[in-house]
Amino acid sequence: MPKAGSCLFAIGYFLYTRTRFGRYYHGKDIAKGKEKYNEDGHTVIEPTMFDKLEITPIPVALDNYAYIVMDTESNTCVVIDVGDEEAIMRFLDKMNVIPAAVLTTHKHWDHSAGNAGMRNRYPGLKVYGGYGDNVPDVTHTLMDIEEVKFGGLNFTAIHTPGHTVGHVSYLLDGQALGAPDCLFSGDHLFLGGCGRIFETPPLRMLKSLDAISRLKKDTLVWPGHEYAVNNLEFACHIEPDNAEAQARYEWAKAKRERRLTTCPSTIGEELTYNPFLRTDKDTVMKKLTICDVSEDTTVLVPPDDELRAQVLAELREQKDSFKYIQ
């Protein structure tokens, strides 16, 4: 893929996000996923159960996740990031439920291509997306910190620009459901990583990541892709002495060998090993060319946001060109 910021990349990205070419390209990925995994998908479907809450990651294409979020007391469900409506409808039919709404984190087709099909299948269905992101087939746009409620499911839309200019992460209040809070982070935050910075300066992405980092430490993180093994391999490369990163990497590899999901992690866990949330750490800065920090130097003054944004940008560039073992 051409480097972000190049003219060729800009043309390709425009065609992917603003034309039907992107929808066609995503359809090819869905077909590849079905050819590789049949209808079973890339990951074994395993609902996570709480007192009054059930969360089911649905595998889409080659590595995407959609989510079915169910308030089991009122039998109300919401679907998050419908990259392929057929995969979602198949599961909803088994559950014998009609969704109350679709929440879309951002406009990229692998998270939104199924919105039109869902609206056709379920007349009157509400489809939400972030303000300014031009999400396909939305009926309602959400402002930052705007709340939406369906049965006992109370979501807050947190605008997290960076991957796209209008990206939204959805925070579910878990208290009334007997569960921790749950963050559906799309392509903003992954287990061990973050999304590519396509549409904003790195400083804006940094501030979005900082906002997420301030959530309660036991908040569960449900990302939009199964990227854990690659992300954690890179995290171990950046911080080879980070025991938490190494342990999580081995755990993730064992999970994926059995095609089990690595979701969710927690905010507290991510802060211990995700290098994109650790841009103020000496052990991260020592791996970067922009920082004049030697292996035996300790930084006494915390870096300011401008420097941390440069750290974030170089981390992302290094990851984009990183050669994985797995």
Side-chain angles (χ1 to χ4, degrees), residues 34-68:
K34 290 178 178 177
E35 181 180 355
K36 184 173 182 179
Y37 301 109
N38 299 315
E39 288 191 350
D40 297 334
H42 56 75
T43 297
V44 176
I45 295 177
E46 289 186 320
T48 298
M49 307 289 295
F50 301 96
D51 183 21
K52 302 175 185 177
L53 176 66
E54 179 178 329
I55 298 175
T56 306
I58 304 297
V60 173
L62 292 167
D63 51 38
N64 275 85
Y65 283 123
Y67 292 95
I68 296 177

PDB file of all heavy atoms in Angstrom, residues 34-68:
ATOM      1  N   LYS A  34     -15.044 -15.792   3.149  1.00  0.00           N
ATOM      2  CA  LYS A  34     -15.914 -16.963   3.033  1.00  0.00           C
ATOM      3  C   LYS A  34     -15.174 -18.130   2.382  1.00  0.00           C
ATOM      4  O   LYS A  34     -15.385 -19.297   2.757  1.00  0.00           O
ATOM      5  CB  LYS A  34     -17.160 -16.598   2.233  1.00  0.00           C
ATOM      6  CG  LYS A  34     -18.103 -15.658   2.976  1.00  0.00           C
ATOM      7  CD  LYS A  34     -19.306 -15.288   2.139  1.00  0.00           C
ATOM      8  CE  LYS A  34     -20.251 -14.384   2.916  1.00  0.00           C
ATOM      9  NZ  LYS A  34     -21.412 -13.943   2.122  1.00  0.00           N
ATOM     10  N   GLU A  35     -14.324 -17.816   1.417  1.00  0.00           N
ATOM     11  CA  GLU A  35     -13.553 -18.877   0.764  1.00  0.00           C
ATOM     12  C   GLU A  35     -12.569 -19.519   1.739  1.00  0.00           C
ATOM     13  O   GLU A  35     -12.364 -20.731   1.741  1.00  0.00           O
ATOM     14  CB  GLU A  35     -12.806 -18.302  -0.436  1.00  0.00           C
ATOM     15  CG  GLU A  35     -11.994 -19.327  -1.198  1.00  0.00           C
ATOM     16  CD  GLU A  35     -11.263 -18.734  -2.400  1.00  0.00           C
ATOM     17  OE1 GLU A  35     -11.475 -17.537  -2.699  1.00  0.00           O
ATOM     18  OE2 GLU A  35     -10.489 -19.470  -3.020  1.00  0.00           O
ATOM     19  N   LYS A  36     -11.975 -18.699   2.589  1.00  0.00           N
ATOM     20  CA  LYS A  36     -10.959 -19.196   3.518  1.00  0.00           C
ATOM     21  C   LYS A  36     -11.575 -19.904   4.723  1.00  0.00           C
ATOM     22  O   LYS A  36     -11.068 -20.931   5.175  1.00  0.00           O
ATOM     23  CB  LYS A  36     -10.084 -18.032   3.984  1.00  0.00           C
ATOM     24  CG  LYS A  36      -8.926 -18.447   4.872  1.00  0.00           C
ATOM     25  CD  LYS A  36      -8.006 -17.264   5.162  1.00  0.00           C
ATOM     26  CE  LYS A  36      -6.810 -17.685   6.006  1.00  0.00           C
ATOM     27  NZ  LYS A  36      -5.887 -16.537   6.272  1.00  0.00           N
ATOM     28  N   TYR A  37     -12.686 -19.333   5.235  1.00  0.00           N
ATOM     29  CA  TYR A  37     -13.238 -19.838   6.494  1.00  0.00           C
ATOM     30  C   TYR A  37     -14.641 -20.432   6.358  1.00  0.00           C
ATOM     31  O   TYR A  37     -15.221 -20.840   7.364  1.00  0.00           O
ATOM     32  CB  TYR A  37     -13.305 -18.698   7.522  1.00  0.00           C
ATOM     33  CG  TYR A  37     -11.974 -18.057   7.822  1.00  0.00           C
ATOM     34  CD1 TYR A  37     -11.684 -16.762   7.386  1.00  0.00           C
ATOM     35  CD2 TYR A  37     -11.003 -18.740   8.547  1.00  0.00           C
ATOM     36  CE1 TYR A  37     -10.471 -16.167   7.674  1.00  0.00           C
ATOM     37  CE2 TYR A  37      -9.779 -18.153   8.840  1.00  0.00           C
ATOM     38  CZ  TYR A  37      -9.527 -16.860   8.396  1.00  0.00           C
ATOM     39  OH  TYR A  37      -8.317 -16.266   8.675  1.00  0.00           O
ATOM     40  N   ASN A  38     -15.201 -20.485   5.134  1.00  0.00           N
ATOM     41  CA  ASN A  38     -16.595 -20.853   4.921  1.00  0.00           C
ATOM     42  C   ASN A  38     -17.486 -19.877   5.689  1.00  0.00           C
ATOM     43  O   ASN A  38     -17.089 -18.754   5.955  1.00  0.00           O
ATOM     44  CB  ASN A  38     -16.843 -22.316   5.331  1.00  0.00           C
ATOM     45  CG  ASN A  38     -15.999 -23.271   4.525  1.00  0.00           C
ATOM     46  OD1 ASN A  38     -15.897 -23.143   3.302  1.00  0.00           O
ATOM     47  ND2 ASN A  38     -15.377 -24.233   5.189  1.00  0.00           N
ATOM     48  N   GLU A  39     -18.667 -20.283   6.074  1.00  0.00           N
ATOM     49  CA  GLU A  39     -19.555 -19.375   6.799  1.00  0.00           C
ATOM     50  C   GLU A  39     -19.228 -19.319   8.285  1.00  0.00           C
ATOM     51  O   GLU A  39     -19.838 -18.551   9.030  1.00  0.00           O
ATOM     52  CB  GLU A  39     -21.023 -19.780   6.596  1.00  0.00           C
ATOM     53  CG  GLU A  39     -21.543 -19.490   5.195  1.00  0.00           C
ATOM     54  CD  GLU A  39     -23.046 -19.638   5.098  1.00  0.00           C
ATOM     55  OE1 GLU A  39     -23.649 -20.147   6.066  1.00  0.00           O
ATOM     56  OE2 GLU A  39     -23.605 -19.243   4.060  1.00  0.00           O
ATOM     57  N   ASP A  40     -18.259 -20.144   8.730  1.00  0.00           N
ATOM     58  CA  ASP A  40     -17.886 -20.140  10.143  1.00  0.00           C
ATOM     59  C   ASP A  40     -17.197 -18.842  10.540  1.00  0.00           C
ATOM     60  O   ASP A  40     -17.263 -18.430  11.696  1.00  0.00           O
ATOM     61  CB  ASP A  40     -16.963 -21.326  10.456  1.00  0.00           C
ATOM     62  CG  ASP A  40     -17.653 -22.655  10.238  1.00  0.00           C
ATOM     63  OD1 ASP A  40     -18.896 -22.692  10.327  1.00  0.00           O
ATOM     64  OD2 ASP A  40     -16.955 -23.646   9.972  1.00  0.00           O
ATOM     65  N   GLY A  41     -16.518 -18.201   9.594  1.00  0.00           N
ATOM     66  CA  GLY A  41     -15.807 -16.964   9.893  1.00  0.00           C
ATOM     67  C   GLY A  41     -14.429 -17.213  10.471  1.00  0.00           C
ATOM     68  O   GLY A  41     -14.042 -18.336  10.796  1.00  0.00           O
ATOM     69  N   HIS A  42     -13.679 -16.124  10.625  1.00  0.00           N
ATOM     70  CA  HIS A  42     -12.284 -16.235  11.053  1.00  0.00           C
ATOM     71  C   HIS A  42     -12.147 -16.576  12.537  1.00  0.00           C
ATOM     72  O   HIS A  42     -11.056 -16.927  13.004  1.00  0.00           O
ATOM     73  CB  HIS A  42     -11.522 -14.942  10.745  1.00  0.00           C
ATOM     74  CG  HIS A  42     -12.109 -13.699  11.338  1.00  0.00           C
ATOM     75  ND1 HIS A  42     -12.011 -13.384  12.669  1.00  0.00           N
ATOM     76  CD2 HIS A  42     -12.795 -12.676  10.760  1.00  0.00           C
ATOM     77  CE1 HIS A  42     -12.603 -12.225  12.905  1.00  0.00           C
ATOM     78  NE2 HIS A  42     -13.092 -11.761  11.765  1.00  0.00           N
ATOM     79  N   THR A  43     -13.241 -16.474  13.281  1.00  0.00           N
ATOM     80  CA  THR A  43     -13.190 -16.676  14.731  1.00  0.00           C
ATOM     81  C   THR A  43     -14.437 -17.430  15.183  1.00  0.00           C
ATOM     82  O   THR A  43     -15.537 -17.184  14.685  1.00  0.00           O
ATOM     83  CB  THR A  43     -13.112 -15.316  15.459  1.00  0.00           C
ATOM     84  OG1 THR A  43     -11.899 -14.656  15.097  1.00  0.00           O
ATOM     85  CG2 THR A  43     -13.153 -15.473  16.977  1.00  0.00           C
ATOM     86  N   VAL A  44     -14.256 -18.340  16.121  1.00  0.00           N
ATOM     87  CA  VAL A  44     -15.380 -19.062  16.714  1.00  0.00           C
ATOM     88  C   VAL A  44     -16.269 -18.067  17.458  1.00  0.00           C
ATOM     89  O   VAL A  44     -15.780 -17.247  18.243  1.00  0.00           O
ATOM     90  CB  VAL A  44     -14.880 -20.151  17.684  1.00  0.00           C
ATOM     91  CG1 VAL A  44     -16.054 -20.836  18.380  1.00  0.00           C
ATOM     92  CG2 VAL A  44     -14.018 -21.166  16.947  1.00  0.00           C
ATOM     93  N   ILE A  45     -17.563 -18.110  17.206  1.00  0.00           N
ATOM     94  CA  ILE A  45     -18.487 -17.172  17.835  1.00  0.00           C
ATOM     95  C   ILE A  45     -18.754 -17.614  19.274  1.00  0.00           C
ATOM     96  O   ILE A  45     -19.247 -18.715  19.523  1.00  0.00           O
ATOM     97  CB  ILE A  45     -19.812 -17.091  17.048  1.00  0.00           C
ATOM     98  CG1 ILE A  45     -19.548 -16.504  15.654  1.00  0.00           C
ATOM     99  CG2 ILE A  45     -20.848 -16.253  17.804  1.00  0.00           C
ATOM    100  CD1 ILE A  45     -20.773 -16.447  14.773  1.00  0.00           C
ATOM    101  N   GLU A  46     -18.398 -16.742  20.219  1.00  0.00           N
ATOM    102  CA  GLU A  46     -18.567 -17.019  21.639  1.00  0.00           C
ATOM    103  C   GLU A  46     -19.173 -15.801  22.326  1.00  0.00           C
ATOM    104  O   GLU A  46     -18.490 -14.789  22.507  1.00  0.00           O
ATOM    105  CB  GLU A  46     -17.221 -17.338  22.306  1.00  0.00           C
ATOM    106  CG  GLU A  46     -16.616 -18.664  21.943  1.00  0.00           C
ATOM    107  CD  GLU A  46     -15.365 -18.945  22.763  1.00  0.00           C
ATOM    108  OE1 GLU A  46     -14.575 -18.008  22.987  1.00  0.00           O
ATOM    109  OE2 GLU A  46     -15.187 -20.097  23.184  1.00  0.00           O
ATOM    110  N   PRO A  47     -20.431 -15.851  22.720  1.00  0.00           N
ATOM    111  CA  PRO A  47     -21.009 -14.739  23.474  1.00  0.00           C
ATOM    112  C   PRO A  47     -20.332 -14.589  24.840  1.00  0.00           C
ATOM    113  O   PRO A  47     -19.945 -15.584  25.459  1.00  0.00           O
ATOM    114  CB  PRO A  47     -22.475 -15.130  23.640  1.00  0.00           C
ATOM    115  CG  PRO A  47     -22.718 -16.211  22.631  1.00  0.00           C
ATOM    116  CD  PRO A  47     -21.412 -16.912  22.454  1.00  0.00           C
ATOM    117  N   THR A  48     -20.180 -13.352  25.283  1.00  0.00           N
ATOM    118  CA  THR A  48     -19.731 -13.062  26.639  1.00  0.00           C
ATOM    119  C   THR A  48     -20.937 -12.628  27.446  1.00  0.00           C
ATOM    120  O   THR A  48     -21.643 -11.696  27.057  1.00  0.00           O
ATOM    121  CB  THR A  48     -18.657 -11.957  26.644  1.00  0.00           C
ATOM    122  OG1 THR A  48     -17.514 -12.414  25.904  1.00  0.00           O
ATOM    123  CG2 THR A  48     -18.225 -11.618  28.057  1.00  0.00           C
ATOM    124  N   MET A  49     -21.179 -13.302  28.573  1.00  0.00           N
ATOM    125  CA  MET A  49     -22.396 -13.110  29.338  1.00  0.00           C
ATOM    126  C   MET A  49     -22.110 -12.365  30.639  1.00  0.00           C
ATOM    127  O   MET A  49     -21.130 -12.663  31.329  1.00  0.00           O
ATOM    128  CB  MET A  49     -23.030 -14.465  29.669  1.00  0.00           C
ATOM    129  CG  MET A  49     -23.251 -15.376  28.474  1.00  0.00           C
ATOM    130  SD  MET A  49     -24.558 -14.808  27.387  1.00  0.00           S
ATOM    131  CE  MET A  49     -25.973 -14.961  28.488  1.00  0.00           C
ATOM    132  N   PHE A  50     -22.978 -11.414  30.942  1.00  0.00           N
ATOM    133  CA  PHE A  50     -22.983 -10.748  32.235  1.00  0.00           C
ATOM    134  C   PHE A  50     -24.391 -10.908  32.820  1.00  0.00           C
ATOM    135  O   PHE A  50     -25.194 -11.683  32.293  1.00  0.00           O
ATOM    136  CB  PHE A  50     -22.590  -9.282  32.079  1.00  0.00           C
ATOM    137  CG  PHE A  50     -21.237  -9.082  31.473  1.00  0.00           C
ATOM    138  CD1 PHE A  50     -21.103  -8.857  30.099  1.00  0.00           C
ATOM    139  CD2 PHE A  50     -20.095  -9.142  32.248  1.00  0.00           C
ATOM    140  CE1 PHE A  50     -19.854  -8.679  29.533  1.00  0.00           C
ATOM    141  CE2 PHE A  50     -18.833  -8.974  31.678  1.00  0.00           C
ATOM    142  CZ  PHE A  50     -18.716  -8.743  30.320  1.00  0.00           C
ATOM    143  N   ASP A  51     -24.701 -10.200  33.878  1.00  0.00           N
ATOM    144  CA  ASP A  51     -25.990 -10.362  34.542  1.00  0.00           C
ATOM    145  C   ASP A  51     -27.161 -10.121  33.586  1.00  0.00           C
ATOM    146  O   ASP A  51     -28.015 -10.980  33.381  1.00  0.00           O
ATOM    147  CB  ASP A  51     -26.065  -9.411  35.740  1.00  0.00           C
ATOM    148  CG  ASP A  51     -27.348  -9.576  36.541  1.00  0.00           C
ATOM    149  OD1 ASP A  51     -27.977 -10.646  36.439  1.00  0.00           O
ATOM    150  OD2 ASP A  51     -27.721  -8.642  37.266  1.00  0.00           O
ATOM    151  N   LYS A  52     -27.199  -8.930  32.967  1.00  0.00           N
ATOM    152  CA  LYS A  52     -28.281  -8.573  32.048  1.00  0.00           C
ATOM    153  C   LYS A  52     -27.743  -8.164  30.674  1.00  0.00           C
ATOM    154  O   LYS A  52     -28.422  -7.471  29.918  1.00  0.00           O
ATOM    155  CB  LYS A  52     -29.110  -7.423  32.630  1.00  0.00           C
ATOM    156  CG  LYS A  52     -29.725  -7.720  33.981  1.00  0.00           C
ATOM    157  CD  LYS A  52     -30.414  -6.487  34.544  1.00  0.00           C
ATOM    158  CE  LYS A  52     -30.930  -6.744  35.961  1.00  0.00           C
ATOM    159  NZ  LYS A  52     -31.536  -5.520  36.550  1.00  0.00           N
ATOM    160  N   LEU A  53     -26.540  -8.582  30.365  1.00  0.00           N
ATOM    161  CA  LEU A  53     -25.877  -8.154  29.129  1.00  0.00           C
ATOM    162  C   LEU A  53     -25.216  -9.338  28.451  1.00  0.00           C
ATOM    163  O   LEU A  53     -24.562 -10.160  29.106  1.00  0.00           O
ATOM    164  CB  LEU A  53     -24.819  -7.085  29.445  1.00  0.00           C
ATOM    165  CG  LEU A  53     -23.963  -6.581  28.290  1.00  0.00           C
ATOM    166  CD1 LEU A  53     -24.805  -5.812  27.279  1.00  0.00           C
ATOM    167  CD2 LEU A  53     -22.826  -5.696  28.815  1.00  0.00           C
ATOM    168  N   GLU A  54     -25.395  -9.405  27.134  1.00  0.00           N
ATOM    169  CA  GLU A  54     -24.730 -10.422  26.317  1.00  0.00           C
ATOM    170  C   GLU A  54     -24.079  -9.725  25.135  1.00  0.00           C
ATOM    171  O   GLU A  54     -24.740  -8.979  24.406  1.00  0.00           O
ATOM    172  CB  GLU A  54     -25.749 -11.451  25.836  1.00  0.00           C
ATOM    173  CG  GLU A  54     -25.165 -12.533  24.949  1.00  0.00           C
ATOM    174  CD  GLU A  54     -26.224 -13.554  24.543  1.00  0.00           C
ATOM    175  OE1 GLU A  54     -27.153 -13.786  25.339  1.00  0.00           O
ATOM    176  OE2 GLU A  54     -26.130 -14.078  23.422  1.00  0.00           O
ATOM    177  N   ILE A  55     -22.788  -9.942  24.945  1.00  0.00           N
ATOM    178  CA  ILE A  55     -22.046  -9.336  23.841  1.00  0.00           C
ATOM    179  C   ILE A  55     -21.475 -10.449  22.976  1.00  0.00           C
ATOM    180  O   ILE A  55     -20.751 -11.322  23.466  1.00  0.00           O
ATOM    181  CB  ILE A  55     -20.920  -8.420  24.344  1.00  0.00           C
ATOM    182  CG1 ILE A  55     -21.500  -7.255  25.154  1.00  0.00           C
ATOM    183  CG2 ILE A  55     -20.083  -7.880  23.167  1.00  0.00           C
ATOM    184  CD1 ILE A  55     -20.464  -6.360  25.791  1.00  0.00           C
ATOM    185  N   THR A  56     -21.802 -10.402  21.688  1.00  0.00           N
ATOM    186  CA  THR A  56     -21.356 -11.445  20.763  1.00  0.00           C
ATOM    187  C   THR A  56     -20.555 -10.824  19.632  1.00  0.00           C
ATOM    188  O   THR A  56     -21.104 -10.093  18.803  1.00  0.00           O
ATOM    189  CB  THR A  56     -22.553 -12.209  20.173  1.00  0.00           C
ATOM    190  OG1 THR A  56     -23.374 -12.702  21.234  1.00  0.00           O
ATOM    191  CG2 THR A  56     -22.079 -13.367  19.316  1.00  0.00           C
ATOM    192  N   PRO A  57     -19.235 -11.083  19.574  1.00  0.00           N
ATOM    193  CA  PRO A  57     -18.456 -10.648  18.407  1.00  0.00           C
ATOM    194  C   PRO A  57     -18.796 -11.517  17.200  1.00  0.00           C
ATOM    195  O   PRO A  57     -18.793 -12.743  17.296  1.00  0.00           O
ATOM    196  CB  PRO A  57     -16.998 -10.862  18.844  1.00  0.00           C
ATOM    197  CG  PRO A  57     -17.047 -11.140  20.315  1.00  0.00           C
ATOM    198  CD  PRO A  57     -18.391 -11.726  20.589  1.00  0.00           C
ATOM    199  N   ILE A  58     -19.103 -10.884  16.086  1.00  0.00           N
ATOM    200  CA  ILE A  58     -19.435 -11.603  14.856  1.00  0.00           C
ATOM    201  C   ILE A  58     -18.288 -11.410  13.858  1.00  0.00           C
ATOM    202  O   ILE A  58     -17.982 -10.280  13.471  1.00  0.00           O
ATOM    203  CB  ILE A  58     -20.748 -11.085  14.242  1.00  0.00           C
ATOM    204  CG1 ILE A  58     -21.890 -11.181  15.261  1.00  0.00           C
ATOM    205  CG2 ILE A  58     -21.079 -11.860  12.972  1.00  0.00           C
ATOM    206  CD1 ILE A  58     -22.237 -12.577  15.698  1.00  0.00           C
ATOM    207  N   PRO A  59     -17.622 -12.488  13.430  1.00  0.00           N
ATOM    208  CA  PRO A  59     -16.521 -12.349  12.474  1.00  0.00           C
ATOM    209  C   PRO A  59     -17.030 -11.943  11.095  1.00  0.00           C
ATOM    210  O   PRO A  59     -18.015 -12.491  10.598  1.00  0.00           O
ATOM    211  CB  PRO A  59     -15.891 -13.750  12.445  1.00  0.00           C
ATOM    212  CG  PRO A  59     -16.990 -14.668  12.884  1.00  0.00           C
ATOM    213  CD  PRO A  59     -17.836 -13.884  13.835  1.00  0.00           C
ATOM    214  N   VAL A  60     -16.350 -10.973  10.492  1.00  0.00           N
ATOM    215  CA  VAL A  60     -16.707 -10.460   9.174  1.00  0.00           C
ATOM    216  C   VAL A  60     -15.446 -10.408   8.322  1.00  0.00           C
ATOM    217  O   VAL A  60     -14.374 -10.012   8.799  1.00  0.00           O
ATOM    218  CB  VAL A  60     -17.333  -9.050   9.279  1.00  0.00           C
ATOM    219  CG1 VAL A  60     -17.548  -8.438   7.899  1.00  0.00           C
ATOM    220  CG2 VAL A  60     -18.651  -9.111  10.049  1.00  0.00           C
ATOM    221  N   ALA A  61     -15.576 -10.799   7.042  1.00  0.00           N
ATOM    222  CA  ALA A  61     -14.464 -10.742   6.082  1.00  0.00           C
ATOM    223  C   ALA A  61     -13.258 -11.507   6.643  1.00  0.00           C
ATOM    224  O   ALA A  61     -13.401 -12.607   7.172  1.00  0.00           O
ATOM    225  CB  ALA A  61     -14.140  -9.315   5.716  1.00  0.00           C
ATOM    226  N   LEU A  62     -12.068 -10.925   6.540  1.00  0.00           N
ATOM    227  CA  LEU A  62     -10.852 -11.641   6.920  1.00  0.00           C
ATOM    228  C   LEU A  62     -10.456 -11.427   8.365  1.00  0.00           C
ATOM    229  O   LEU A  62      -9.814 -12.294   8.971  1.00  0.00           O
ATOM    230  CB  LEU A  62      -9.698 -11.221   5.999  1.00  0.00           C
ATOM    231  CG  LEU A  62      -9.852 -11.681   4.546  1.00  0.00           C
ATOM    232  CD1 LEU A  62      -8.858 -10.958   3.642  1.00  0.00           C
ATOM    233  CD2 LEU A  62      -9.671 -13.191   4.438  1.00  0.00           C
ATOM    234  N   ASP A  63     -10.801 -10.266   8.953  1.00  0.00           N
ATOM    235  CA  ASP A  63     -10.394 -10.026  10.342  1.00  0.00           C
ATOM    236  C   ASP A  63     -11.259  -8.999  11.069  1.00  0.00           C
ATOM    237  O   ASP A  63     -10.925  -8.584  12.175  1.00  0.00           O
ATOM    238  CB  ASP A  63      -8.915  -9.578  10.404  1.00  0.00           C
ATOM    239  CG  ASP A  63      -8.608  -8.419   9.463  1.00  0.00           C
ATOM    240  OD1 ASP A  63      -9.450  -7.520   9.318  1.00  0.00           O
ATOM    241  OD2 ASP A  63      -7.501  -8.418   8.871  1.00  0.00           O
ATOM    242  N   ASN A  64     -12.364  -8.567  10.462  1.00  0.00           N
ATOM    243  CA  ASN A  64     -13.249  -7.595  11.118  1.00  0.00           C
ATOM    244  C   ASN A  64     -14.115  -8.244  12.192  1.00  0.00           C
ATOM    245  O   ASN A  64     -14.381  -9.438  12.150  1.00  0.00           O
ATOM    246  CB  ASN A  64     -14.205  -6.949  10.109  1.00  0.00           C
ATOM    247  CG  ASN A  64     -13.594  -5.767   9.412  1.00  0.00           C
ATOM    248  OD1 ASN A  64     -12.894  -5.919   8.420  1.00  0.00           O
ATOM    249  ND2 ASN A  64     -13.856  -4.576   9.933  1.00  0.00           N
ATOM    250  N   TYR A  65     -14.564  -7.411  13.125  1.00  0.00           N
ATOM    251  CA  TYR A  65     -15.607  -7.792  14.063  1.00  0.00           C
ATOM    252  C   TYR A  65     -16.774  -6.817  13.968  1.00  0.00           C
ATOM    253  O   TYR A  65     -16.580  -5.595  13.961  1.00  0.00           O
ATOM    254  CB  TYR A  65     -15.112  -7.764  15.511  1.00  0.00           C
ATOM    255  CG  TYR A  65     -14.248  -8.933  15.914  1.00  0.00           C
ATOM    256  CD1 TYR A  65     -12.969  -8.728  16.420  1.00  0.00           C
ATOM    257  CD2 TYR A  65     -14.717 -10.239  15.826  1.00  0.00           C
ATOM    258  CE1 TYR A  65     -12.169  -9.789  16.816  1.00  0.00           C
ATOM    259  CE2 TYR A  65     -13.919 -11.311  16.217  1.00  0.00           C
ATOM    260  CZ  TYR A  65     -12.648 -11.080  16.706  1.00  0.00           C
ATOM    261  OH  TYR A  65     -11.855 -12.138  17.093  1.00  0.00           O
ATOM    262  N   ALA A  66     -17.980  -7.359  13.895  1.00  0.00           N
ATOM    263  CA  ALA A  66     -19.193  -6.634  14.251  1.00  0.00           C
ATOM    264  C   ALA A  66     -19.594  -7.153  15.630  1.00  0.00           C
ATOM    265  O   ALA A  66     -19.080  -8.178  16.101  1.00  0.00           O
ATOM    266  CB  ALA A  66     -20.294  -6.890  13.240  1.00  0.00           C
ATOM    267  N   TYR A  67     -20.500  -6.436  16.287  1.00  0.00           N
ATOM    268  CA  TYR A  67     -20.934  -6.864  17.615  1.00  0.00           C
ATOM    269  C   TYR A  67     -22.448  -6.808  17.721  1.00  0.00           C
ATOM    270  O   TYR A  67     -23.078  -5.842  17.285  1.00  0.00           O
ATOM    271  CB  TYR A  67     -20.326  -5.975  18.704  1.00  0.00           C
ATOM    272  CG  TYR A  67     -18.840  -6.126  18.843  1.00  0.00           C
ATOM    273  CD1 TYR A  67     -17.967  -5.256  18.187  1.00  0.00           C
ATOM    274  CD2 TYR A  67     -18.283  -7.145  19.615  1.00  0.00           C
ATOM    275  CE1 TYR A  67     -16.590  -5.397  18.299  1.00  0.00           C
ATOM    276  CE2 TYR A  67     -16.913  -7.299  19.730  1.00  0.00           C
ATOM    277  CZ  TYR A  67     -16.074  -6.425  19.068  1.00  0.00           C
ATOM    278  OH  TYR A  67     -14.714  -6.574  19.172  1.00  0.00           O
ATOM    279  N   ILE A  68     -23.023  -7.858  18.320  1.00  0.00           N
ATOM    280  CA  ILE A  68     -24.426  -7.848  18.717  1.00  0.00           C
ATOM    281  C   ILE A  68     -24.453  -7.684  20.225  1.00  0.00           C
ATOM    282  O   ILE A  68     -23.896  -8.511  20.962  1.00  0.00           O
ATOM    283  CB  ILE A  68     -25.150  -9.128  18.283  1.00  0.00           C
ATOM    284  CG1 ILE A  68     -25.166  -9.217  16.755  1.00  0.00           C
ATOM    285  CG2 ILE A  68     -26.569  -9.154  18.835  1.00  0.00           C
ATOM    286  CD1 ILE A  68     -25.793 -10.490  16.221  1.00  0.00           C
TER     287      ILE A  68
END
